[in-house]
Amino acid sequence: SRDQQAAIESFSEAAKMELRTFTYDGDTSASARNRIRESGDFVITNPDMLHAGILPHHTMWIRLFENLETIVVDEMHTYRGVFGSHFANVMRRLLRIAAFYGKSPRIICASATIGNPGELAEKLFERPFDVVDENGAPSGRKVFLFYNPPVVQKELGIRASSVKEAAKLGGLFVDNNVHSILFCRSRTRVEVLTNYLKEASKQKANRVMAYRGGYLPNERRSIERDLREGKLLAVVSTNALELGIDIGSLDVSNTVGFPGSISSLLQQSGRAGRKQNDAISILIATSEATDQYVVQHPEFLLGRSPEHGRINADNLLILIEHLKCAVFEL
């Protein structure tokens, strides 16, 4: 949200337009919330705050709903499965309240790697959509590297630790001033890999940071800012940095262990080479069977469409709970 706010404010300043842009989420102070309700041209929020903080109290948001022209849903591909089914019902409630105030807003969705963007959008909002699927973002040459660590115990098929191998590669990039990001599947691995990297590059240890959920908001903002400004040479993250946030121009993305979906892997690889510079994406396999299959069959990842997003907004267990919310709201 803060990243989107900064982008809109930058555009507003360049265009010499007074666009009042606010973020309304769990970090927003009580004093700021009243001001946002009264004077926000752009209100940036998330599904949880919309569900619990805005829709039940829509009479306090009359100015917003009476002037609501556009709903923008970023990272639409994340709204799938049970979470997406809940989100679809939150959107039903949002559009119902907008209609109560006489508004029928246009809807714009932005999605990354997904196999059925148009179908998912229509299921989320129950209306037709036009799909714009030509990518106009600047990009340079991208090289994919599939790295299988050496076997250390042949009888059991155990290979060298993917985390330690990632630390070796990451250390090479840090020592040569190559900006990189390393993705791990758990918070524990993030901390372990960060320590390995700092030990491997002691002279530049202050330019290596970890990023994961659980950090204080000001800590996250500081890391994001240092990344954009090029102060950090390496950041080790969970999938918290997989999408959405503008983290500047990186040269290398390392994924330690197959993240579980083609979509996630492509998102992580997309963190590098976002401008027009050449970039490299590395998948470092673990000893797990899935990783070993993927790393030995790269066509599985590079030669097929990303996964489709599926939801069932009319699932009774989900629908009944949102009906209760809707009855309270109107």
Side-chain angles (χ1 to χ4, degrees):
S1 296
R2 295 298 192 282
D3 192 57
Q4 296 284 8
Q5 181 178 349
I8 296 172
E9 288 175 346
S10 176
F11 171 82
S12 173
E13 183 179 342
K16 294 182 171 57
M17 300 170 64
E18 292 187 10
L19 300 176
R20 293 160 296 185
T21 307
F22 301 100
T23 295
Y24 189 83
D25 58 20
D27 296 333
T28 306
S29 64
S31 58
R33 295 187 181 195
N34 290 329
R35 185 184 172 204
I36 295 171
R37 295 188 191 106
E38 295 298 324
S39 59
D41 292 319
F42 286 80
V43 177
I44 306 170
T45 189
N46 55 57
D48 300 298
M49 287 300 290
L50 190 62
H51 160 69
I54 296 179
L55 297 183
H57 312 292
H58 61 88
T59 53
M60 301 170 66
W61 292 83
I62 290 178
R63 186 183 178 281
L64 174 70
F65 283 109
E66 286 184 339
N67 295 279
L68 185 60
E69 296 180 358
T70 305
I71 298 170
V72 179
V73 178
D74 197 13
E75 310 295 357
M76 182 197 70
H77 56 284
T78 61
Y79 300 115
R80 56 183 188 262
V82 174
F83 179 47
S85 301
H86 277 289
F87 178 77
N89 280 286
V90 172
M91 292 299 103
R92 284 171 169 172
R93 290 159 48 202
L94 171 61
L95 293 172
R96 178 171 175 257
I97 288 175
F100 176 77
Y101 289 98
K103 304 301 289 187
S104 179
R106 72 175 67 87
I107 301 170
I108 301 171
C109 299
S111 176
T113 44
I114 192 169
N116 61 334
E119 179 189 8
L120 180 59
E122 291 176 358
K123 285 186 175 294
L124 287 171
F125 292 96
E126 299 174 310
R127 60 177 64 182
F129 276 78
D130 294 322
V131 178
V132 180
D133 57 2
E134 292 185 18
N135 187 358
S139 62
R141 184 179 57 168
K142 173 70 68 69
V143 176
F144 278 87
L145 174 64
F146 293 82
Y147 178 60
N148 208 4
V151 175
V152 294
Q153 195 168 354
K154 188 175 181 180
E155 295 78 10
L156 298 176
I158 297 176
R159 294 180 176 269
S161 166
S162 57
V163 174
K164 289 186 176 180
E165 294 299 302
K168 291 179 184 178
L169 286 172
L172 283 173
F173 296 131
V174 171
D175 291 340
N176 288 279
N177 295 318
V178 177
H179 296 263
S180 63
I181 185 168
L182 300 97
F183 288 100
C184 297
R185 291 186 297 201
S186 69
R187 296 180 180 184
T188 302
R189 285 189 178 185
V190 165
E191 298 297 341
V192 170
L193 180 51
T194 303
N195 288 333
Y196 282 157
L197 267 179
K198 286 179 178 289
E199 290 175 7
S201 306
K202 292 183 179 179
Q203 293 182 344
K204 299 178 181 178
N206 61 330
R207 302 186 68 183
V208 176
M209 291 292 293
Y211 185 103
R212 59 174 176 78
Y215 284 3
L216 294 173
N218 60 325
E219 291 178 305
R220 296 198 301 270
R221 309 284 174 264
S222 175
I223 296 170
E224 292 163 15
R225 184 177 60 254
D226 289 346
L227 261 176
R228 279 194 295 269
E229 295 175 357
K231 294 179 180 178
L232 295 180
L233 284 173
V235 62
V236 186
S237 175
T238 58
N239 60 1
L241 280 181
E242 182 177 301
L243 42 81
I245 300 172
D246 180 9
I247 54 177
S249 181
L250 299 175
D251 302 305
V252 180
S253 66
N254 295 268
T255 299
V256 186
F258 179 59
S261 70
I262 299 172
S263 176
S264 288
L265 183 66
L266 293 178
Q267 278 294 121
Q268 292 179 10
S269 72
R271 295 290 91 186
R274 291 176 67 82
K275 306 299 182 184
Q276 292 183 340
N277 56 314
D278 292 348
I280 185 170
S281 293
I282 305 172
L283 172 62
I284 303 174
T286 68
S287 297
E288 295 177 11
T290 302
D291 283 46
Q292 287 303 304
Y293 177 83
V294 166
V295 81
Q296 293 175 40
H297 297 83
E299 69 279 0
F300 175 80
L301 300 177
L302 303 178
R304 54 188 291 174
S305 166
E307 295 81 5
H308 286 215
R310 305 294 186 196
I311 65 167
N312 180 11
D314 293 327
N315 177 284
L316 276 179
L317 293 176
I318 294 173
L319 187 61
I320 287 171
E321 297 304 316
H322 285 278
L323 281 172
K324 294 176 185 176
C325 297
V327 169
F328 175 83
E329 289 160 1
L330 293 177

